Amino acid sequence: MEDSNDLFSPLPPAAKINKTLSHYTSLDGFLNIIRESQIRASNILFLNDTEEMEYGMRVARDVLAEIDQVRPDTPLKRIARALTGMNDIPDVYACCFCEEHDMLSQWRGYGAATQSVSIQFDADQLSAVARAQEFDLHPVTYGKRLAMKVLRARLKGAESTASIVRALMNSKDETDYTADDARRMAVLDLAPRFKNDAFGEELEWRIIAKAHVVKKVEYRTRDNVIMPYVNVGALNTRLPITRVTVGPGKDASLTRKSIEKFLSQRPFYSDVEVAVSSIPFRT
């Protein structure tokens, strides 16, 4: 564990993201995004990582307990215990992005039989789209050690359960939260951001939508489940798409031409560049 004297040292002020983030999807998914000018955030319980929320809950609990060892005068253990006994995982929706636009593991993850693309977004503008719906864009934190760093500044100066939760939620609300509120809000905010460090190569960012700010839930089928999701963005409003990269396929050049023709007929996206993956991966 890190030196306790440094545990609550503040992190540098938040700066502009100044990145391009990529969303990997199928051709069908790409068509829907362009036609609707919306991108889907799926219920996190149904994503590919089977321990998704469970891992986040364990890390949140352990991190809070470790911090409490340094500051025993705070009620963090009560929140940690609440997380331990929490069985009803709240609904949280996430849309996933990657810092790399042409990553072999991502292309492989979409299957050799499916033509995939990655859609590049301006991250600062994407964050603004998310905030307009009270959603948040965050980088994923891999492993508990980095989670500790993320939490230092958030919990600095928090003395009561209510102030701890306000710090966790970045909220100025003066409500005197109950223990149940505390555990639920801590999970909602922390668990979707934490992943096992085995996934670190993904360089993932997420738009996270918590159930209490979601206005409408939609449903679609995926494999053997009916997937709940929410839309990010608005009809007839441009998403901040800067480029589309065609993944490896049987005729990537033809796929590129077809995408260019499709985009040329879409007023919001007729100027979007289309490129082809440089990875010689045979599908």
Side-chain angles (χ1 to χ4, degrees):
M1 189 170 176
E2 301 183 41
D3 183 359
S4 60
N5 293 328
D6 185 54
L7 185 62
F8 285 91
S9 61
L11 295 177
K16 286 177 68 78
I17 300 173
N18 197 29
K19 287 180 181 290
T20 297
L21 298 178
S22 295
H23 178 70
Y24 287 76
T25 187
S26 65
L27 273 180
D28 282 338
F30 167 74
L31 282 175
N32 286 331
I33 290 169
I34 298 300
R35 285 171 174 163
E36 300 174 7
S37 271
Q38 295 176 319
I39 189 166
R40 294 171 177 176
S42 299
N43 190 301
I44 202 168
L45 293 177
F46 300 94
L47 295 181
N48 291 334
D49 179 0
T50 56
E51 66 160 12
E52 189 79 41
M53 282 292 280
E54 289 86 350
Y55 178 82
M57 288 172 64
R58 289 199 303 272
V59 171
R61 178 199 65 215
D62 293 346
V63 166
L64 291 171
E66 287 185 17
I67 293 174
D68 189 60
Q69 291 177 11
V70 178
R71 300 194 57 196
D73 56 320
T74 63
L76 284 162
K77 278 182 181 172
R78 278 180 280 172
I79 298 179
R81 284 197 299 269
L83 291 175
T84 303
M86 188 172 183
N87 295 317
D88 57 326
I89 299 174
D91 283 327
V92 180
Y93 300 85
C95 183
C96 303
F97 302 85
C98 177
E99 292 186 18
E100 297 291 339
H101 72 280
D102 191 12
M103 182 179 282
L104 178 58
S105 61
Q106 291 291 322
W107 298 129
R108 282 176 168 164
Y110 280 85
T114 302
Q115 176 62 60
S116 302
V117 301
S118 69
I119 307 171
Q120 283 71 69
F121 294 84
D122 179 278
D124 288 294
Q125 294 179 38
L126 185 64
S127 180
V129 170
R131 289 197 307 272
Q133 294 175 252
E134 299 183 75
F135 303 163
D136 300 300
L137 176 65
H138 295 290
V140 168
T141 298
Y142 297 97
K144 190 163 65 177
R145 184 182 64 83
L146 291 179
M148 292 288 287
K149 291 185 177 181
V150 169
L151 285 171
R152 286 177 187 163
R154 297 282 295 277
L155 294 174
K156 186 174 186 289
E159 298 295 339
S160 67
T161 300
S163 63
I164 289 167
V165 176
R166 285 197 296 272
L168 290 171
M169 297 296 293
N170 278 333
S171 172
K172 296 180 180 178
D173 187 1
E174 294 301 322
T175 303
D176 188 12
Y177 294 103
T178 66
D180 184 63
D181 293 330
R183 71 175 187 178
R184 181 172 293 275
M185 294 173 78
V187 169
L188 283 172
D189 199 52
L190 298 176
R193 303 198 207 179
F194 296 156
K195 290 188 74 170
N196 191 299
D197 51 13
F199 293 92
E201 72 165 16
E202 294 177 348
L203 302 174
E204 185 178 343
W205 287 62
R206 287 179 167 180
I207 290 178
I208 298 171
K210 300 156 197 171
H212 70 280
V213 300
V214 168
K215 301 294 190 294
K216 185 179 181 182
V217 177
E218 306 278 2
Y219 295 88
R220 64 186 176 91
T221 58
R222 192 184 77 171
D223 298 330
N224 62 323
V225 300
I226 298 175
M227 172 76 77
Y229 71 91
V230 298
N231 284 313
V232 181
L235 294 172
N236 301 316
T237 303
R238 190 185 193 278
L239 287 171
I241 295 172
T242 61
R243 184 173 62 175
V244 176
T245 302
V246 178
K250 61 182 181 182
D251 192 342
S253 295
L254 184 62
T255 303
R256 175 184 181 174
K257 289 178 182 178
S258 70
I259 291 174
E260 288 175 334
K261 184 171 182 61
F262 170 67
L263 290 176
S264 71
Q265 303 302 310
R266 315 303 297 188
F268 290 152
Y269 305 107
S270 59
D271 62 340
V272 171
E273 176 190 357
V274 183
V276 173
S277 168
S278 62
I279 296 175
F281 172 53
R282 180 176 295 173
T283 63

